[in-house]
Amino acid sequence: MQICIAGHCPIIWVRRGEIRSLDATGLPLGIFRNSSYALTTIEAEPGDSLVLYTDGLTEAQDRSGQEYGTDRIVGLMATVWKLSAQATIDACLNNLADFQAGCSKHDDLTIMVVKRSDVPL
């Protein structure tokens, strides 16, 4: 699989509970007209997941102003790696809701999980 990462949040690549980070290869898309981006090539194995998210997740705050952060996402992904893509998203949203304990949102939030099936097509 080849990926062009044009953003500031790293993609989390999960393989059997092991976490790898795929960092951006250029500036966020749309900032400059003539930006160039390098391709990142990965060999995704059955069961591997890619977790993509916006800074609305990492910068979400609890009542004391502490940010959710990347470390919290990584820790969660290391424990839910066997779940389906949708169940992984649900676990992340539930964990975020517990962290925020009713605090209001200050940014948009997008989470996408792409999981390679272990069932041949």
Side-chain angles (χ1 to χ4, degrees), residues 82-102:
K82 290 184 179 181
L83 298 179
S84 69
Q86 184 60 57
T88 300
I89 292 169
D90 293 343
C92 189
L93 291 173
N94 289 335
N95 188 266
L96 177 62
D98 290 346
F99 172 79
Q100 288 188 298

Side-chain angles (χ1 to χ4, degrees), residues 94-110:
N94 289 335
N95 188 266
L96 177 62
D98 290 346
F99 172 79
Q100 288 188 298
C103 290
S104 60
K105 294 180 183 178
H106 298 288
D107 200 354
D108 62 304
L109 172 64
T110 302

Side-chain angles (χ1 to χ4, degrees), residues 33-78:
R33 180 187 307 191
N34 297 321
S35 296
S36 60
Y37 303 90
L39 289 174
T40 299
T41 302
I42 66 168
E43 292 288 332
E45 294 179 0
D48 282 8
S49 296
L50 296 178
V51 182
L52 300 90
Y53 54 93
T54 60
D55 63 353
L57 178 60
T58 54
E59 295 175 3
Q61 296 180 357
D62 66 8
R63 292 195 183 280
S64 68
Q66 179 183 0
E67 290 189 346
Y68 189 79
T70 304
D71 290 344
R72 193 176 306 272
I73 301 166
V74 167
L76 179 64
M77 292 306 123

